[in-house]
Amino acid sequence: RDLHSFPTRRSSDLEINEEREVDIENYSVNDLLNDLGLSSQTTVSKRNGELVVEDTIINNGDEIQLIQIIYGG
């Protein structure tokens, strides 16, 4: 059994910090977005401060930041 633990932050006007443990090998940013009900088309993802694509695998101890893009004028 391989548990991955990593902090996640969601940013827009509201910041939510939480730590997650997942029991899934090869858990990706896309898996996290799906679990949170977020779209990769409206969310920018960072792993340990670097921009990443949805296929990026999250490793134990990685910090994930999800930034929702707000459209409008």
Side-chain angles (χ1 to χ4, degrees):
R1 183 173 178 197
D2 190 18
L3 285 178
H4 294 285
S5 176
F6 55 90
T8 59
R9 293 187 327 192
R10 287 187 273 177
S11 297
S12 58
D13 292 330
L14 173 67
E15 187 168 305
I16 300 170
N17 292 304
E18 68 181 54
E19 188 156 322
R20 295 184 152 247
E21 286 191 4
V22 293
D23 190 17
I24 300 173
E25 192 172 322
N26 297 322
Y27 191 75
S28 70
V29 170
N30 194 50
D31 293 327
L32 176 61
L33 291 172
N34 287 334
D35 287 351
L36 295 172
L38 299 173
S39 168
S40 63
Q41 293 183 353
T42 60
T43 306
V44 174
S45 305
K46 289 184 171 184
R47 181 181 69 178
N48 302 322
E50 300 289 326
L51 291 174
V52 293
V53 296
E54 302 85 47
D55 296 348
T56 300
I57 300 299
I58 299 172
N59 298 306
N60 194 26
D62 282 346
E63 180 177 300
I64 306 299
Q65 183 178 19
L66 305 175
I67 303 157
Q68 288 193 279
I69 301 166
I70 308 297
Y71 295 99

